[in-house]
């Protein structure tokens, strides 16, 4: 720029010299770069440097966060996987929902599609990532009334075969925001117990569970504990002490929660600093408008005893713009067109 200014000055000086006698006696001042131009150049340089230093390829989100976990697992295991179980709502639309997940968040969230015999699905392949992947459930646990053994099989497979730091369990009606999931896991240790999602409390019970619709995280240590208890045939973890075993088969996540509660492991309060939820069991519009089912609202009563005192909200749902954290991780009842739009 300095060179250009000098040349420009020479040209202007020559023109003035040939057109005005006064100009011959006047010394042409040296051109200087505008301070505003210098500031602009500096800002552009800093912005480019920041981008090049901090940019993150979504296809590499499976890489472990080496600052927050043991070095032994840093390069061997994905930071987390997302287990996509079959939704029991609108089963005929499952393939379209899976295809929309392929095209949006599936790869970045390391999705694993669980499917039953005869209902195979082939994910859209990508050269950047080995995800999404699929997991076939054996026919002996694929029946509708085999919910508990099916969930046990899936968790055991995730723990032994994939061995991630954390696993997020949802279904094909769940919409996931991978960047926010990674942000949530930052600083969390996979070798410590963690059961995180959207906590609720069954009426008349002394334990809490995380909504299966909104999805929930289990740490590697928690999956290790569950698989150990199941191998030992522990009654409370097998559902042998349940009053309504048939109902439990349709709600196997409740058994997982009760098994974890037997060692004092309860869901954590996963809300943000403004007490806004990050995991949502309904779609975005219904959550914002507060148009959720009454049974869902009632399940937020009595959580002070388990999650700790919340003097302002008592763990009740908020509405409007305060319904959802700006770092929300999941929404539910999201069909394929809405997934593409989100």
């Amino acid at each position: 720029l300095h060179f250009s200014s000098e040349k420009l000055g020479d040209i202007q000086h020559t023109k003035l010299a040939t057109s005005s006698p006064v100009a011959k006696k006047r010394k042409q001042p040296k051109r200087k770069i505008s301070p505003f131009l210098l500031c602009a150049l500096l800002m552009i340089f800093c912005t480019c440097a920041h981008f090049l230093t901090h940019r993150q390829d979504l296809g590499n989100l499976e890489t472990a966060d080496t600052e927050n976990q043991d070095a032994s697992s840093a390069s061997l295991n994905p930071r987390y996987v997302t287990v996509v179980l079959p939704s029991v709502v609108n089963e005929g639309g499952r393939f379209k929902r899976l295809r929309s997940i392929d095209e949006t968040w599936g790869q970045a969230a390391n999705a694993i599609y669980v499917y039953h015999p005869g209902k195979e699905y082939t994910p859209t392949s990508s050269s950047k990532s080995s995800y999404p992947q699929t997991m076939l459930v054996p026919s002996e646990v694929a029946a509708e009334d085999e919910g508990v053994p099916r969930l046990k099989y899936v968790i055991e497979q995730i723990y032994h075969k994939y061995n991630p730091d954390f696993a997020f369990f949802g279904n094909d009606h769940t919409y996931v925001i991978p960047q926010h999931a990674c942000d949530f896991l930052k600083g969390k240790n996979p070798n410590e117990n963690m059961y995180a999602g959207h906590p609720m409390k069954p009426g008349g019970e002394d334990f809490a569970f995380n909504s299966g619709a909104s999805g929930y995280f289990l740490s590697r240590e928690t999956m290790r504990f569950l698989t150990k208890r199941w191998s030992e045939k522990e009654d409370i973890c097998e559902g042998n002490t349940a009053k309504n075993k048939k109902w439990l088969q349709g709600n196997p996540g409740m058994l997982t929660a009760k098994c974890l509660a037997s060692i004092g492991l309860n869901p954590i309060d996963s809300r943000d600093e403004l007490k806004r939820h990050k995991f949502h069991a309904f779609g975005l519009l219904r959550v914002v408008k507060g148009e959720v089912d009454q049974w869902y609202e009632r399940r937020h009563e009595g959580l002070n005893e388990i999650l700790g005192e919340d003097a302002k909200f008592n763990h009740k749902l908020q509405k409007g713009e305060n319904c959802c954290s700006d770092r929300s991780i999941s929404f539910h009842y999201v069909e394929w067109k809405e997934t593409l739009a989100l």
Side-chain angles (χ1 to χ4, degrees):
L1 287 171
H2 178 70
F3 176 79
S4 299
S5 298
E6 289 286 351
K7 289 297 182 183
L8 183 61
D10 292 344
I11 294 170
Q12 290 177 334
H13 178 74
T14 303
K15 288 182 177 179
L16 287 170
T18 56
S19 61
S20 171
V22 179
K24 293 179 181 179
K25 299 179 182 180
R26 185 183 303 159
K27 185 178 180 181
Q28 184 71 12
K30 191 174 183 179
R31 296 276 176 167
K32 295 182 179 179
I33 300 175
S34 166
F36 296 104
L37 179 58
L38 283 173
C39 289
L41 289 171
L42 183 61
M43 288 179 65
I44 292 171
F45 173 79
C46 291
T47 301
C48 292
H50 177 82
F51 173 76
L52 291 172
T53 304
H54 294 90
R55 68 178 180 174
Q56 180 181 37
D57 182 0
L58 286 178
N60 293 327
L61 283 178
E62 64 185 87
T63 304
D65 182 355
T66 56
E67 295 179 359
N68 301 313
Q69 60 178 325
D70 287 349
S72 61
S73 64
S75 60
L76 300 177
N77 313 106
R79 182 61 171 164
Y80 80 97
V81 296
T82 300
V83 183
V84 183
L85 298 162
S87 173
V88 297
V89 178
N90 185 18
E91 294 182 54
R94 175 169 166 78
F95 284 3
K96 287 184 177 180
R97 290 193 295 273
L98 292 179
R99 185 65 65 196
S100 69
I101 294 173
D102 282 350
E103 297 174 9
T104 53
W105 58 264
Q107 178 180 316
N110 299 333
I112 301 172
Y113 303 146
V114 177
Y115 69 94
H116 297 177
K119 299 181 180 180
E120 292 81 357
Y121 172 80
T122 303
T124 304
S125 60
S126 170
S127 58
K128 293 184 179 180
S129 173
S130 59
Y131 293 91
Q133 297 185 17
T134 59
M135 178 192 297
L136 173 64
V137 172
S139 56
E140 56 266 26
V141 296
E144 185 177 347
D145 59 351
E146 295 289 345
V148 170
R150 184 164 55 250
L151 182 60
K152 287 167 55 179
Y153 174 84
V154 170
I155 292 178
E156 288 170 347
Q157 285 292 301
I158 293 297
Y159 175 68
H160 290 296
K161 181 178 178 180
Y162 294 91
N163 192 26
D165 287 354
F166 301 91
F168 183 74
F169 295 85
N171 63 45
D172 55 66
H173 261 117
T174 308
Y175 182 85
V176 177
I177 304 175
Q179 299 94 324
H180 294 176
C182 286
D183 178 69
F184 178 77
L185 295 174
K186 197 170 293 182
K188 291 181 170 58
N189 189 343
N191 298 316
E192 295 177 355
N193 277 313
M194 189 185 80
Y195 176 39
H198 189 119
M200 298 191 291
K201 185 176 180 293
E205 297 285 357
D206 58 357
F207 72 98
F209 67 98
N210 283 315
S211 164
S214 64
Y216 54 86
F217 275 110
L218 296 178
S219 68
R220 180 189 295 123
E221 175 59 20
T222 301
M223 289 187 283
R224 185 200 66 78
F225 166 78
L226 287 170
T227 56
K228 182 174 182 293
R229 281 297 179 97
W230 288 328
S231 68
E232 296 169 348
K233 306 296 182 183
E234 187 77 23
D235 280 348
I236 195 169
C237 297
E238 289 287 322
N240 297 332
T241 60
K243 296 177 182 178
N244 190 339
K245 294 183 179 180
K246 184 177 180 180
W247 178 85
L248 194 63
Q249 294 299 331
N251 299 272
M254 296 289 285
L255 179 62
T256 302
K258 201 157 189 174
C259 178
L260 296 175
S262 68
I263 61 164
L265 177 56
N266 292 303
I268 64 173
D269 186 350
S270 60
R271 297 174 299 173
D272 68 11
E273 61 278 2
L274 299 178
K275 306 301 181 184
R276 301 174 301 182
H277 280 284
K278 296 181 180 180
F279 303 86
H280 308 281
F282 287 87
L284 178 59
L285 184 59
R286 289 186 65 180
V287 174
V288 171
K289 295 172 70 176
E291 295 179 352
V292 298
D293 298 342
Q294 288 187 354
W295 68 263
Y296 182 66
E297 291 186 333
R298 289 196 299 269
R299 290 291 184 266
H300 292 81
E301 298 173 0
L303 285 171
N304 279 333
E305 307 163 8
I306 298 171
L307 302 181
E309 189 70 23
D310 177 8
K312 187 173 183 179
F313 299 107
N314 288 311
H315 297 281
K316 299 290 182 64
L317 298 166
Q318 297 188 63
K319 300 177 183 179
E321 62 181 301
N322 294 322
C323 72
C324 316
S325 170
D326 56 6
R327 298 187 301 278
S328 288
I329 294 169
S330 66
F331 292 91
H332 195 242
Y333 294 120
V334 180
E335 281 291 348
W336 69 275
K337 287 185 179 180
E338 190 176 357
T339 293
L340 295 176
L342 287 171

